[in-house]
Amino acid sequence: MYAEEVAEMAGRIRDEDIALVRERTSIAEVISDTVTLKSAGGGNLKGLCPFHDEKSPSFNVSPARNVWYCFGCGAGGDAIKFLMDAEHLSFVESVERLAARAGIQLRYVEDDRSAPRPRPQQGQRQRLVAAHAAAVDFYRAQLSTAGARKAREFLAERGFDRAAAERYGCGFAPDAWDLLTKHLRQQGFTHDELVTAGLSRPSRSGSLIDRFRRRLLWPIRDLTGDVIGFGARKLFDDDDGPKYLNTPETPIYKKSHVLYGIDQAKREIAKQGKVVVVEGYTDVMACHLAGVPTAVATCGTAFGADHIGVLRRLLMDTDAVAGEIIFTFDGDAAGQKAALRAFEDDQRFVGRTFIAVSPDNMDPCELRLAKGDLAVRDLVARREPLVDFALRHVINRYDLDTVDGRVEAMRRAAPLVAKIKDREKRPEYVRKLAGDLGMEIEPVQRAVLAAANGQPAGGSTAPARPAPVTPSVDSPRSMVEREALKLALQEPVLAGPMFDAVEAAEYRHPVHVAVRAAIAAAGGAAAASGGAVWIEQVRDACDDLAGQALVGELAVEPLRIDGEPDPRYVSVTMARLQWGSVTGRIKDLKSKIQRINPVSNKDEYFALFGELLSLEQHARALREQAAGGL
């Protein structure tokens, strides 16, 4: 995720400026704001990981290379990545915060990657956020006026008292055309700023009027807690507008990225590894107040890929850490359709997806009002896997008392089973599906296998090839490969020329092969100057997820030498790396020579014998080079 965001944002913030932020940032100072660090020897620091519970410190920081890595949970990166994970910021927000801390003026480029230029309207975001903050104060004050009685009744009827309204910043847009606009203009905000912010809009006569009028308002905040927009609920029957009206798209409000309640829920989401996705503002309030603090909601749009990206960062949704995503939908047809649409996005999550549907088809706000806080907590606790719900929904559409109905249900349900991320669960769901359909397991198994291979249900499938055996990561050879990679990442100036001279074919472990390829793709170790910029270049060039994680790990793992590495240590390590393959080739040649008749195949015999002598000479040189090594 991180590498994708870096690649995406590199076209907006100038690459040189990102590199400068990394170089000018003291990672120890940034992390010390959150984690107590102590010396770990060798210039490194250690502390308790802020991203998972642990009793002994496994969180390591390398100030010399401006990188960090946790050996407990596998998280790692530079100062930018730390802020992204710890403060739940986007890549751009993290870079901008560190740039401000270091006194660096960032330069931006056009999305079409044209020549760099200063970012237009510097300070625009700050002005728009300030305008929204002033609007929040204005609307909140209006909620206590006589004209807002209908808004107060709406909240009270749904179980929200004054304290709840204040906690979520609820407000009221008065029955006036331009009261907010005049108020904000008096505070120094310009005509263009109010229109750009979506707080005001031009009227037919050309004058500026308020966007919201006679409505109950919820301020919508981003991850950092800044108000970036509003959601407005209709209260009066003579209001001919939509039931809910939201802030339009603005430079700071992108509805496909926004989740209501995320500012209050983010830390609990990260702590619990769980998020509850509900459908409305009052549902978020009801869940939080009922003891489900991980609830969030979309704002005027369907749950989509951008929302998933936000939640994955909060959940630290990786192969190593799989969280829970729980959707709550009404039990009606629209709710079922939304649930099936969510299942289509299931593959975008690594974690497990669930659905929680109230038996009475009530949303969390209605459930809390009717049956209390415990009922809301029970609703979430009784969640079921989303795949179970989706399968049941598909099967129920067919008449299982007929052969045609059972076969058609199998054909429609098989692709859902084939989409299950956890392959070890698929056989169990095959058996469950066969039982639900009242069919033998074999045809269902064939249908699922066909769907998994992209074939129509019932098509022939070839037997799966066995997975290749991966060399042991702690074998002597793998340990030498690991040491060579550490030298290239941590000491590229010292080790670069010798490291690059050794062919990539010398590496055997698949993840090591991926990291070695990434080093070459990043320009080679000899051309690198080291530090966090070099580490991130290698990480970005690595297509393998396990390789990306290993880059962060190797960047802080101590070298297997007392003291500082020198050219001799690099030479010894690279000789040890090559020794295994050279001796292996010598063994193969000797075996081949023994099988050849030196009389009838004299030319081939002497050619192989000459190659053997050359390899043995090379082996002796490597043995001498590696003497007194690791």
Side-chain angles (χ1 to χ4, degrees), residues 125 127 139 152 157 230 239 270 367 417 488 508 579 605:
R125 175 183 170 82
R127 291 290 296 170
Y139 287 137
R152 295 192 299 272
E157 288 168 359
F230 289 93
D239 185 342
L367 187 62
V417 177
R508 296 288 186 271
W579 171 259
Y605 179 84

Side-chain angles (χ1 to χ4, degrees), residues 477-491:
R477 175 169 187 82
S478 291
M479 295 300 289
V480 174
E481 293 178 8
R482 189 180 183 93
E483 194 72 3
L485 294 172
K486 281 193 289 185
L487 284 168
L489 292 170
Q490 297 183 20
E491 303 289 345

